[in-house]
């Protein structure tokens, strides 16, 4: 068992720096995702948009829980804007690592809420984002390069200048967790199922890449260049490379031997694939969400090489500062904790090391040096013999701290203005120190870590709580592994023979549905797209004008007009969603009739008729030496609506209901009269001929006469 665990260790370990890089990348993508949805707030999420909450919930299966989203409780545009602002703040807090665990949890809830509220706009990128958010929910993403990590190290006092020069180191030991194995399995499953599902004709003939580059609606300029200049054999080679890389990802990711170089090969092959997608076709944030999880898989050797590459070019620096100044000493402590490369040595007044004789000669003696130290920061480069003071000294320190390197450049550009600001601050630093609670400069002796409480020792309850949290995280990862296995079996056509033998438990189905943890992977599968085209939405306004609702101009069905359009990812998804799901047309019409902003239509533009035209640009068929171009687009009317037709249909429906109601009344009256006549007839038979005659005459009773009278007098409808 020990040997097995040692062999599997590379699949269970995560470097703390990789966790930090993933946190930054994931949070940055969340910010971009939230920000790009803001212009379509009403369309996608408000009850005045395309699909109000009632319509969305009506489409959910009756016996299955609805996906997690808080946005059903936010119906107005103002409330939604407040929710978006809150989501952005949570993502920014996660980006800098402030209250990382809480910020991560809130960001995940906001992300799932946005993705699950309107699944019409979902794509593979949203699915990948949900999965990465769920897998990393219990990981210590704030262990490095975060405000939380800096705060933990800040609480450690510095008893001397030597300790200030060597602050408490950040954690470097790898984090061992089942979640690492889960991420690897999920990523391998994504590529593997994409590969085995590519069984269509376009992949068998290796023309899939060529067909994809004929999709004008998603193509960027570089994609058009590739379509024109890459020969047919080159496009076929790219198709082969895609299949081989996706199928081989299982070995590259899950092999416990040769992990370093296999992982690097994976980054080159599959990373290059996603970079190619980013440069050539418009797939939203899908490729970015797939690339961000790569940061979590970086090995220690790769991160060490990256650290050497990012090392500042400047040499070592000795900084002399007024350690009796509270804010000055606090600034030195902060800079020492940001100095990941140990390039800056801090010397206070109580330093045991003497001032270099060369420096004393430069400033005019020891007395002049102390007077200068009272006035400004002194930065000395012993290797090059350079000396900086005032704002230039701050810039020299900042250039040696990777996080503050841009500040150094700004200070140098500011020049005299930065010097004036520095002099003004230095003259009032004693007031700033008092305001921050460090005491007045010169009135109290230097005490290392002034204003910083000593780090409390971890008690027994704290250790127990930390271990329980760690255990809960591993239990969560184990349960998610079970959910992943069931979802992979039941959501992919390749595993269809196993489905009837592995019915998922109820809690697994609820987890998959509620957290939207699907594992359906079929990008460009089983075939690459062979149908291209776009929507022309002709809206007839109350003033008689006909405009394209997307552009606000006169309808234009030409290819030239289409090629000049700038498509937005979310608006472009309306085309195919309406084309492939007729249930969405009626809610779409209701949205277009509302007095609000709809695409290019103003709130004052009242729509009285709407037509959805699908302009099919038949994809060119690849052939040797080029492609066969089709002869123009094919215009097809898919859906239509008009207010006049709707009113006429409503009148016909009302008349039909009236006729049905009248027929039901007549039938009920006939039954009532027949029942009364039968009862009287039976009574008359018992009472003799006289009673029988009476019952027979009453057979045509008042109820029957009332029922027959309208038939004789009412004209036929």
């Amino acid at each position: 068992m020990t040997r097995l665990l040692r062999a599997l260790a590379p699949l269970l370990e995560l470097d703390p720096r990789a966790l930090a890089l993933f946190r930054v990348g994931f949070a940055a993508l969340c910010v971009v995702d939230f920000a790009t949805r803001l212009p379509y707030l009403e369309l996608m999420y408000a009850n005045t948009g395309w699909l109000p909450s009632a319509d969305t919930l009506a489409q959910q299966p009756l016996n299955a829980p609805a996906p997690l989203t808080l946005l059903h409780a936010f119906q107005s545009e103002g409330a939604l804007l407040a929710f978006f602002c809150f989501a952005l703040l949570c993502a920014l807090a996660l980006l800098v690592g402030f209250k990382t665990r809480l910020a991560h949890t809130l960001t995940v809830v906001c992300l799932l809420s946005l993705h699950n509220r309107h699944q019409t706009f979902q794509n593979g990128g949203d699915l990948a984002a949900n999965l990465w958010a769920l897998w990393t929910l219990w990981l210590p993403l704030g262990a490095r390069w975060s405000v939380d990590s800096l705060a933990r190290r800040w609480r450690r006092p510095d008893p001397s200048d030597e300790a200030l020069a060597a602050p408490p180191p950040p954690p470097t030991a790898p984090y061992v967790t089942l979640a690492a194995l889960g991420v690897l399995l999920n990523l391998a499953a994504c590529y593997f199922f994409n590969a085995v599902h590519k069984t269509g004709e376009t992949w068998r003939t290796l023309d899939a890449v060529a067909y994809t580059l004929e999709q004008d609606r998603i193509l960027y300029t570089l994609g058009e260049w590739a379509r024109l200049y890459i020969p047919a054999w080159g496009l076929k080679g790219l198709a082969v490379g895609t299949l081989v890389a996706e199928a081989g990802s299982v070995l590259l990711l899950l092999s416990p031997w040769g992990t370093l170089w296999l992982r690097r090969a994976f980054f080159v092959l599959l990373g290059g694939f996603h970079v190619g997608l980013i440069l050539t076709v418009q797939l939203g944030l899908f490729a970015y969400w797939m690339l961000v999880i790569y940061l979590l898989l970086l090995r220690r050797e790769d991160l060490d090489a990256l650290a050497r590459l990012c090392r500042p070019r400047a040499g070592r620096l000795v900084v002399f500062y007024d350690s009796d100044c509270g804010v000055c000493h606090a600034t030195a402590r902060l800079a020492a904790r940001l100095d990941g490369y140990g390039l800056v040595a801090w010397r206070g007044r109580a330093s045991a090391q003497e001032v270099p004789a060369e420096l004393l000669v430069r400033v005019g003696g020891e007395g002049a040096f102390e007077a200068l130290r009272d006035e400004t920061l002194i930065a000395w480069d012993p290797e090059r013999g350079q000396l900086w003071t005032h704002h230039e000294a701050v810039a020299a320190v900042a250039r040696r701290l990777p996080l503050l390197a841009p500040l150094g450049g700004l200070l140098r550009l500011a020049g005299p203005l930065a010097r004036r600001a520095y002099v003004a601050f230095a003259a009032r630093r004693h007031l700033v120190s008092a305001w921050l609670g460090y005491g007045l400069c010169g009135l109290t002796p230097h005490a290392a870590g002034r204003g910083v409480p000593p780090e409390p020792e971890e008690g027994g309850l704290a250790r127990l709580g930390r271990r329980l949290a760690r255990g809960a995280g591993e239990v969560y990862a184990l349960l998610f592994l079970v959910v992943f296995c069931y979802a992979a079996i039941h959501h992919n056509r390749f595993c269809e023979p196993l489905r009837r033998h592995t019915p998922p438990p109820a809690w697994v189905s609820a987890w998959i549905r509620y957290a939207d943890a699907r594992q359906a992977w079929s990008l460009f599968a089983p075939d690459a797209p062979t149908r291209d085209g776009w929507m022309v939405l002709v809206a007839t306004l109350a003033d008689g004008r006909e405009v394209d609702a997307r552009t606000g101009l006169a309808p234009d069905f030409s290819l030239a007009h289409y090629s000049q359009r700038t498509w937005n990812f979310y608006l472009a998804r309306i085309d195919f969603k309406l084309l492939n799901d007729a249930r969405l047309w009626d809610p779409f019409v209701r949205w277009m009739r509302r007095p609000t902003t709809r695409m290019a239509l103003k709130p004052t533009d009242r729509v009285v008729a709407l037509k959805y035209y699908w302009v099919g640009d038949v994809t060119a068929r690849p052939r040797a030496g080029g492609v066969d171009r089709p002869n123009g687009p094919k215009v097809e009317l898919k859906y239509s609506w008009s207010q006049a037709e709707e009113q006429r249909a409503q009148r016909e429906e009302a008349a039909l209901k009236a006729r049905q109601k009248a027929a039901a009344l007549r039938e009920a009256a006939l039954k009532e009269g027949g029942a009364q006549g039968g009862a009287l007839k039976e009574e008359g038979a018992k009472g003799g001929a006289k009673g029988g005659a009476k019952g027979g005459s009453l057979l045509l009773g008042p109820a029957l006469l009332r029922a027959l009278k309208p038939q004789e007098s009412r004209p036929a409808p």
Side-chain angles (χ1 to χ4, degrees):
M1 180 62 72
T2 304
R3 183 177 299 178
L4 177 62
L5 291 176
R6 190 180 298 112
L8 294 177
L11 306 181
L12 301 172
E13 293 178 350
L14 296 174
D15 192 284
R17 294 168 294 177
L19 290 167
L21 279 175
F22 170 78
R23 186 197 77 242
V24 173
F26 179 82
L29 277 181
C30 286
V31 170
V32 173
D33 193 3
F34 298 160
T36 53
R37 294 170 187 262
L38 267 176
Y40 312 102
L41 196 67
E42 185 178 15
L43 166 65
M44 298 171 64
Y45 302 110
N47 275 354
T48 56
W50 182 359
L51 282 179
S53 296
D55 291 345
T56 303
L57 294 174
Q59 294 180 2
Q60 304 296 333
L62 295 177
N63 299 325
L68 170 66
T69 179
L70 302 179
L71 290 184
H72 291 311
F74 298 84
Q75 301 183 3
S76 67
E77 193 169 356
L80 286 168
L81 183 60
F83 180 88
F84 266 79
C85 292
F86 175 75
L88 284 170
L89 287 176
C90 293
L92 290 173
L94 178 62
L95 180 68
V96 299
F98 176 71
K99 301 294 183 182
T100 310
R101 183 61 59 85
L102 176 62
H104 189 196
T105 303
L106 293 176
T107 302
V108 170
V109 172
C110 293
L111 188 73
L112 292 176
S113 296
L114 292 174
H115 289 173
N116 296 341
R117 164 63 177 87
H118 204 322
Q119 294 189 336
T120 303
F121 289 97
Q122 271 193 352
N123 71 330
D126 298 341
L127 177 60
N130 295 349
L131 292 172
W132 308 151
L134 293 170
W135 276 118
T136 59
L137 192 57
W138 284 81
L139 296 181
L141 301 183
R144 293 287 297 269
W145 303 340
S146 66
V147 175
D148 292 343
S149 173
L150 183 61
R152 284 191 295 268
R153 299 171 65 203
W154 178 266
R155 287 192 290 266
R156 298 277 297 274
D158 304 306
S160 64
D161 285 332
E162 288 73 17
L164 184 62
T172 57
Y175 186 78
V176 181
T177 174
L178 278 174
L181 178 61
V183 169
L184 290 171
L185 288 171
N186 206 152
L187 197 57
C190 165
Y191 293 117
F192 173 76
F193 287 122
N194 269 314
V196 297
H197 287 160
K198 289 179 169 64
T199 57
E201 180 184 358
T202 58
W203 288 102
R204 290 196 301 270
T205 59
L206 302 180
D207 291 328
V209 175
Y211 271 111
T212 302
L213 292 178
E214 291 295 329
Q215 301 295 305
D216 295 310
R217 61 189 170 85
I218 62 173
L219 213 61
Y220 287 136
T221 302
L222 190 60
E224 296 178 359
W225 178 90
R227 178 177 64 188
L228 292 175
Y229 295 105
I230 296 181
W233 60 267
L235 297 178
K236 290 180 180 292
L238 290 175
V240 173
T242 300
L243 292 172
V244 171
E246 288 184 338
S249 63
V250 177
L251 174 64
L252 299 177
L253 285 173
L254 300 180
S255 172
W257 299 280
T259 307
L260 177 61
W261 286 101
L262 289 178
R263 195 78 57 88
R264 287 174 176 174
F266 171 81
F267 292 152
V268 171
L269 294 176
L270 277 305
F273 167 71
H274 287 298
V275 171
L277 290 180
I278 290 172
L279 296 176
T280 55
V281 294
Q282 183 179 5
L283 297 177
L285 295 178
F286 169 73
Y288 296 96
W289 284 119
M290 294 301 297
L291 285 174
V292 76
I293 199 64
Y294 289 19
L295 300 174
L296 198 64
L297 308 181
L298 290 171
R299 303 289 297 171
R300 177 176 55 83
E301 295 83 356
D302 298 322
L303 291 166
D304 290 342
L306 184 62
R308 290 192 295 270
L309 183 64
C310 297
R311 181 185 176 90
R313 305 299 180 190
R316 295 185 178 276
L317 199 67
V318 180
V319 180
F320 300 90
Y321 72 104
D322 182 11
S323 55
D324 288 339
C325 169
V327 69
C328 299
H329 185 65
T331 304
R333 296 183 70 240
L334 177 62
R337 282 152 177 78
L338 295 177
D339 185 12
Y341 294 96
L343 296 178
V344 182
W346 296 88
R347 300 286 184 266
R349 293 186 184 276
S351 175
Q353 300 187 22
E354 296 182 355
V355 180
E358 183 182 355
L359 178 58
L360 292 177
V361 172
R362 287 280 298 272
V363 300
E366 187 172 351
F369 176 81
E370 292 300 331
L372 185 62
R373 189 195 326 233
D374 287 336
E375 178 186 345
T376 178
L377 197 70
I378 303 172
W380 169 254
D381 186 347
E383 297 177 359
R384 301 178 183 177
Q386 291 179 302
L387 177 67
W388 296 277
T389 60
H390 297 90
H391 71 286
E392 294 181 345
V394 177
V397 173
R399 287 199 303 272
R400 287 157 175 81
L401 308 180
L403 189 63
L404 300 181
L407 176 62
L410 290 175
L411 289 174
R412 295 183 66 185
L413 289 175
L417 182 62
R419 182 183 179 88
R420 290 181 183 178
Y422 180 89
V423 170
F425 174 81
R428 296 168 179 81
R429 67 184 188 274
H430 59 287
L431 297 177
V432 178
S433 295
W435 181 69
L436 294 175
Y438 293 123
L440 296 177
C441 301
L443 299 183
T444 56
H446 164 63
R450 177 185 299 158
V452 181
E455 183 182 22
E457 295 183 0
E458 187 180 38
L461 289 178
R463 284 196 300 270
L464 178 62
R466 182 166 49 82
R467 291 174 181 175
L468 288 177
R470 177 70 183 270
E474 295 308 307
V475 171
Y476 170 84
L478 180 61
L479 293 176
F480 201 7
L481 275 171
V482 175
V483 172
F484 157 74
C485 293
Y486 276 107
I489 291 173
H490 286 267
H491 294 162
N492 292 282
R493 183 167 44 87
F494 181 77
C495 299
E496 190 171 357
L498 299 176
R499 292 180 186 174
R500 62 175 179 270
H501 303 294
T502 56
W507 69 270
V508 171
S509 300
W511 187 322
I512 295 172
R513 182 70 182 173
Y514 194 67
D516 197 18
R518 291 171 292 164
Q519 295 289 339
W521 301 107
S522 57
L523 179 65
F524 298 143
D527 266 310
T530 57
R531 181 177 60 169
D532 192 16
W534 68 97
M535 172 184 72
V536 175
L537 191 63
V538 179
T540 304
L541 306 182
D543 57 8
R545 291 182 298 128
E546 282 193 348
V547 298
D548 187 341
R550 174 169 284 167
T551 63
L553 306 174
D556 191 342
F557 299 90
S558 64
L559 281 173
H561 173 64
Y562 165 64
S563 62
Q564 293 170 2
R565 290 189 184 183
T566 300
W567 295 97
N568 177 275
F569 176 72
Y570 294 112
L571 289 182
R573 291 186 68 78
I574 296 177
D575 299 22
F576 268 82
K577 289 296 182 179
L578 285 174
L579 181 67
N580 297 324
D581 192 348
R583 297 176 303 170
L584 298 175
W585 174 246
D586 288 339
F588 185 77
V589 170
R590 289 195 292 271
W591 172 57
M592 294 296 295
R593 295 179 63 185
R594 295 188 182 108
T596 183
T597 302
R598 299 135 298 169
M599 301 184 188
L601 299 181
K602 302 176 182 178
T604 55
D605 293 332
R606 188 166 66 89
V607 178
V608 297
L610 199 64
K611 293 182 180 180
Y612 176 104
Y613 289 97
W614 176 254
V615 185
D617 179 17
V618 181
T619 304
R621 184 178 299 278
R623 62 179 176 83
V627 293
D628 293 324
R629 292 287 176 183
N631 296 321
K634 179 182 179 183
V635 180
E636 183 179 1
L637 177 63
K638 286 294 184 180
Y639 309 106
S640 65
W641 166 87
S642 71
Q643 192 176 47
E645 291 179 359
E646 184 180 59
Q647 292 174 350
R648 181 170 58 83
Q650 290 175 352
R651 290 195 298 269
E652 292 179 354
E653 184 179 2
L656 177 61
K657 288 183 178 179
R659 290 195 299 270
Q660 292 175 346
K661 183 177 180 179
L665 288 175
R666 288 195 299 271
E667 184 178 356
L670 287 171
K671 289 182 179 179
E672 181 183 355
Q676 291 180 1
L680 292 175
K681 185 176 181 180
E682 183 178 354
E683 182 181 351
K686 292 181 179 179
K690 184 177 179 179
K694 181 180 179 181
S697 64
L698 290 177
L699 183 61
L700 297 175
L704 183 58
L705 293 176
R706 286 196 304 268
L708 294 176
K709 187 175 181 180
Q711 280 187 327
E712 298 172 358
S713 59
R714 184 181 304 170

